[in-house]
Amino acid sequence: MARINTNPKLVAIFIIYFFMTSHVFTHGAQQQVPCLFFFGASLTDNGNNNMLNTVLKSNYPPYGIDFFAGPTGRFSNGRNTPDFITQLLGFNNSIPPFATATGSAIAKGVNYASAGAGILDDTSRALGDRISMNRQLSNHQTTISGMSSLLGPSTQVQDYLNKCLYIVEMGSNDYVNNYIQPQNYPETASLTPDQFAALLIQQYTTQLNALYTGGARKVAIYGVPPVGCIPQVRAMFPANASGCVDYVNKYTQLFNRRLKPLVDNLNANLPGAKFIYINMSGILISIIASIGASVFGTPCCAVSSAGVCVPNQAPCKNRDLYVFFDNYHTTEIIDRLVAARVYISILTTHYPSEIKNLDQQ
Ligand SMILES: *[C@@H]1O[C@H](CO)[C@@H](O)[C@H](O)[C@H]1NC(C)=O
Ligand SMILES: *[C@@H]1O[C@H](CO)[C@@H](O)[C@H](O)[C@H]1NC(C)=O
Ligand SMILES: *[C@@H]1O[C@H](CO)[C@@H](O)[C@H](O)[C@H]1NC(C)=O
């Protein structure tokens, strides 16, 4: 079996990560933002699908095999990217899922993400229930209403919400569990790839404006990762010489290329808005290249036809050597590296004073 070698790039990433972690600790584990909200799909979900009628669930073994609380609804063997980002930002605890967040717990933020969720309401319909971006935004309104009883008049709530950080991960399912399966999603099948990307951007524009209206000012928006490379898509279509299904990655690039200007427009048109585009494709490609000797083509667990782990089967033993835990989702070791990169982008844009002492190379 392949082993991770001591690749200089990987070593550099780890050094950056540990340097940042110690930076946080030397400041007495100070929380760098008062509150943190996550919107997204399965890479961000930490329990919102547990009570839904869907095949996209992960609250059973082997999920959570390396997590202190066991299986929780995180689609990972251990902590997921939001857990690491939350920790890097100095929070003592993870942000609770909307499904179970109650009382004063919402003051530090809520995680609305739901596996299967899309920008389009119909995305992932063939797999069961899911909380689409529109429904996540409406759940956020519920949180905002609940905050008045904690924080007082609505102007005070708005001031507080302005100071929070918002992280949004959307779009992957609109491709994997919608556009590339025209037999299951005939509504959008007649659109060209460019028209489909334009439709997503149009909907997303409305959604991100609604987030702003709800008080969000500091927002990090993930681009879509190269989903043509995930085992689930490679099981659906023949892969190209790249090892990925190239045309799927071309489609998602059409979306990403429109997303970046959307972010620029939001910043230009919305007073006080500081939205950033996180190039998830670039981040993942460089991380995976840096650990090139890892197992890439095979997931760590035995998967169902839906691409999630079969319940109660022992996963691979050397989980740090695998890129994918199931057919969609990366292992904890990858999530840790991704989170470190997202954290750098967030600090650079939103909290430059926090990094004035950090060597940005
Ligand atoms: C985190 O926990 C430590 C130790 O209990 C405490 O000193 C610190 O104030 C806590 N930080 C936050 C942000 O709650
Ligand atoms: C990728 O593979 C598909 C299916 O085999 C093929 O039609 C297409 O031309 C290939 N694309 C490239 C860029 O090689
Ligand atoms: C993301 O990063 C990759 C690799 O650095 C680059 O090729 C691509 O143009 C970037 N995408 C966007 C939308 O900025």
Side-chain angles (χ1 to χ4, degrees):
M1 175 161 311
R3 287 196 49 82
I4 295 180
N5 53 27
T6 48
N7 181 308
K9 267 194 270 174
L10 179 62
V11 171
I13 290 168
F14 272 116
I15 289 171
I16 291 170
Y17 175 74
F18 287 116
F19 182 46
M20 290 188 317
T21 310
S22 64
H23 167 77
V24 171
F25 289 151
T26 53
H27 285 67
Q30 248 180 14
Q31 220 178 274
Q32 293 163 43
V33 282
C35 32
L36 179 54
F37 292 96
F38 289 100
F39 296 79
S42 52
L43 291 169
T44 307
D45 192 350
N46 64 349
N48 287 307
N49 274 26
N50 293 355
M51 303 302 280
L52 299 187
N53 183 11
T54 171
V55 298
L56 297 181
K57 284 176 183 282
S58 57
N59 54 339
Y60 56 83
Y63 289 109
I65 187 170
D66 301 313
F67 193 69
F68 77 96
T72 55
R74 285 165 173 80
F75 289 80
S76 171
N77 54 307
R79 285 172 283 179
N80 62 11
T81 304
D83 291 322
F84 286 115
I85 293 172
T86 304
Q87 186 190 353
L88 286 166
L89 286 165
F91 287 75
N92 277 340
N93 298 112
S94 289
I95 302 300
F98 178 78
T100 57
T102 49
S104 60
I106 63 171
K108 286 193 173 183
V110 175
N111 183 332
Y112 303 100
S114 163
I119 293 168
L120 303 181
D121 292 339
D122 282 342
T123 286
S124 305
R125 183 189 53 211
L127 298 171
D129 200 6
R130 67 277 159 212
I131 306 162
S132 67
M133 183 60 179
N134 283 331
R135 284 177 65 196
Q136 292 184 29
L137 286 165
S138 112
N139 288 342
H140 186 48
Q141 285 306 318
T142 305
T143 301
I144 293 174
S145 308
M147 277 187 159
S148 349
S149 63
L150 298 171
L151 298 168
S154 69
T155 50
Q156 249 159 278
V157 173
Q158 282 298 313
D159 281 350
Y160 188 70
L161 290 169
N162 288 173
K163 296 191 190 102
C164 305
L165 178 65
Y166 302 75
I167 298 181
V168 189
E169 177 244 325
M170 275 287 163
S172 296
N173 285 308
D174 295 293
Y175 284 92
V176 176
N177 288 306
N178 189 332
Y179 191 60
I180 66 170
Q181 298 185 35
Q183 70 284 11
N184 289 327
Y185 301 91
E187 301 87 344
T188 44
S190 63
L191 301 180
T192 65
D194 210 48
Q195 286 169 334
F196 184 72
L199 172 69
L200 292 182
I201 291 293
Q202 183 204 330
Q203 295 269 320
Y204 213 14
T205 304
T206 306
Q207 291 161 347
L208 294 171
N209 272 289
L211 191 59
Y212 174 88
T213 307
R217 296 295 177 271
K218 298 167 184 212
V219 184
I221 301 167
Y222 292 5
V224 174
V227 289
C229 303
I230 65 174
Q232 184 69 4
V233 171
R234 285 183 288 123
M236 288 160 65
F237 305 102
N240 291 96
S242 64
C244 304
V245 183
D246 291 345
Y247 87 90
V248 175
N249 290 340
K250 288 213 182 85
Y251 289 180
T252 57
Q253 276 167 28
L254 294 174
F255 173 79
N256 289 339
R257 267 191 238 127
R258 287 172 184 259
L259 180 56
K260 207 164 178 294
L262 164 59
V263 167
D264 295 339
N265 286 340
L266 292 169
N267 287 332
N269 298 327
L270 302 175
K274 218 165 176 197
F275 286 45
I276 52 168
Y277 170 76
I278 305 282
N279 187 339
M280 201 44 85
S281 183
I283 288 175
L284 275 165
I285 289 169
S286 78
I287 286 173
I288 290 169
S290 73
I291 54 168
S294 283
V295 180
F296 182 75
T298 321
C300 169
C301 73
V303 295
S304 69
S305 60
V308 292
C309 297
V310 174
N312 302 312
Q313 289 209 18
C316 66
K317 287 204 169 61
N318 303 320
R319 291 179 284 281
D320 284 355
L321 300 181
Y322 280 72
V323 171
F324 292 100
F325 188 61
D326 63 16
N327 254 8
Y328 289 97
H329 307 105
T330 40
T331 47
E332 180 182 66
I333 189 165
I334 302 291
D335 293 347
R336 176 191 284 269
L337 297 172
V338 169
R341 297 281 296 268
V342 173
Y343 178 70
I344 291 175
S345 300
I346 288 170
L347 284 192
T348 310
T349 309
H350 295 302
Y351 307 97
S353 63
E354 290 284 338
I355 51 162
K356 62 181 184 293
N357 298 320
L358 276 184
D359 175 10
Q360 280 291 292
Q361 304 178 339

